[in-house]
Amino acid sequence: MNDTPPKNQTRERRRRILVLALPIIGGMVSQNLLNLVDTAMVGALGDAALAATGVGGFAFFMAIATMMGLSAAVQAMASRRMGEGRANESGYPLNGALILALCFGIPFTVLLIYSAPWFFPLLNADPEVHQLGIPYLQARLATLALGGMSFAFRGFFNGIGRPIVYMRTLIITHVINIALNFILIFGLLGAPKLGVLGAGIGSAIATLIAALLYTVQAWIEARDKGFFRGLPGQKGMRTLIGLSLPASAQQFLFAAGLTVMFWIIGLVGTQATAAASVLVNIMLVAILPGVGMGLAAATLVGQALGKQDPDDAEKWGWDVARLTMFLLGIVGILGIIFAEPIISLFLRDPQTLQLAVLPLQLFGAIIAFDSVGLVLMNALLGAGASRQTLVVSVTTQWGFFLPIAYALVKLGGFGLLEIWIANAIYRLVQAALYALMWKRGKWRTISV
């Protein structure tokens, strides 16, 4: 039997991948645009304000990462139900995840809000940054449970093949967020001038609106799929928790690993830290197509497994990986050729700019291969292999990259370029391990 599909079948598979991936990518692009606009508005208030929102925003990301796993869990279970022909039960995992988000998010919110004045100074030594950043962080933390609910909704709509709901919800709430921040930061339209706190309140209100929009859309589109009608049962709740916890731990530890990486780079010097900050922001934008394609792969794999067709599920993983590798390969070539002009948009100091050029070109050289790991990691999550992906992620980042980066700086006296070379090796090793796991196929027998 010839495994190569006819041209029209190949075209149809690519179309299906893009139909799922493009709305997700569009929503993520809007998120990054919001971050840039937010940074520009807060930057007008001074360096201390910018540092306060930067530190506070990263602390919030680490907190909300504890519930990001709900998205992967719901997506895996909802897509599996769709493939099994049990679409009327695909909303049950969502209902269970919403309960988990509230039960965990509310007490966690209270704990973090009250402890913020204690742990925030551990992240930054400047008293002015503390004064501005703690209220900002507390305003953001008030929405943890709502954020967890939004992750659950995102996983559900992506899992049933309706990523357009995710995209339009993000775009609407981001526009509202920008407007609210502009009004509350600078005191427009009769509102009080709240500065950094206004940015936190604006983001919190936008998160509330996002949760409400998701709920209304689920009520309209998903009542026939079990929304608000039933729970996945005792076994289903155990599966939901079992999928969510490793995925959430993976997100949290990845974020914590970035914090440690910046601390290590800080040992090199201020210029290296500034260059790395720009590099990371560029990288996060550049891999957006890979993230969107990976989430599409998770849905396609889950639905194929629901149809009891693991061979098709495996093909979906490789199909999405090949297409993503081609797309991000183009991005990588552009990064290699135009590294200096891209960096110069963010860095003005000639020495700092030169520090960042070679690392960006290195990233451009590996992004296509890195994208394979990104896609197959999400495909594994779609198959329910969240524990296995956690092991690979933690082992390669915490057991390999971070110790080597520290040794390069403290023992070898090396700088940013050498750290970025170690980072590139770590990402390639991780991608190879995910590809090996996907090829071995142990994920085929996981029950979700």
Side-chain angles (χ1 to χ4, degrees), residues 45 179-195 198:
L45 303 177
L180 286 173
N181 283 9
F182 197 59
I183 291 168
L184 294 174
I185 289 172
F186 301 109
L188 303 177
L189 302 178
K193 185 178 180 180
L194 299 177

Side-chain angles (χ1 to χ4, degrees), residues 11 145 170 257 271 303 339 362 380 390 402 406 413 419 421 432:
R11 192 180 301 114
L170 276 188
Q271 285 186 326
Q303 291 181 357
L362 177 62
L380 288 162
L390 170 64
L402 292 175
Y406 181 77
I419 293 174
I421 292 172

Side-chain angles (χ1 to χ4, degrees), residues 326-415:
F326 171 75
L327 294 175
L328 288 189
I330 295 173
V331 173
I333 291 171
L334 294 175
I336 293 171
I337 296 173
F338 300 107
E340 188 163 340
I342 293 170
I343 292 290
S344 66
L345 295 174
F346 304 93
L347 295 173
R348 299 292 182 268
D349 183 272
Q351 289 183 322
T352 309
L353 188 152
Q354 287 305 312
L355 278 178
V357 170
L358 280 177
L360 181 58
Q361 290 176 325
L362 177 62
F363 171 70
I366 71 156
I367 187 173
F369 303 99
D370 187 24
S371 71
V372 174
L374 191 59
V375 167
L376 294 180
M377 178 194 75
N378 280 281
L380 288 162
L381 289 172
S386 56
R387 293 182 184 179
Q388 293 88 333
T389 61
L390 170 64
V391 171
V392 171
S393 176
V394 173
T395 301
T396 52
Q397 185 184 30
W398 287 85
F400 174 77
F401 167 59
L402 292 175
I404 289 178
Y406 181 77
L408 285 171
V409 175
K410 291 297 289 185
L411 302 179
F414 292 105

Side-chain angles (χ1 to χ4, degrees), residues 6-44:
K7 283 187 177 181
N8 59 340
Q9 186 179 348
T10 301
R11 192 180 301 114
E12 174 59 26
R13 289 175 77 87
R14 288 176 180 168
R15 188 196 68 81
R16 191 173 171 193
I17 292 168
L18 293 174
V19 164
L20 288 172
L22 290 178
I24 300 172
I25 296 169
M28 290 178 171
V29 168
S30 73
Q31 175 70 65
N32 280 271
L33 290 175
L34 166 66
N35 291 339
L36 291 174
V37 173
D38 235 9
T39 300
M41 284 191 284
V42 175

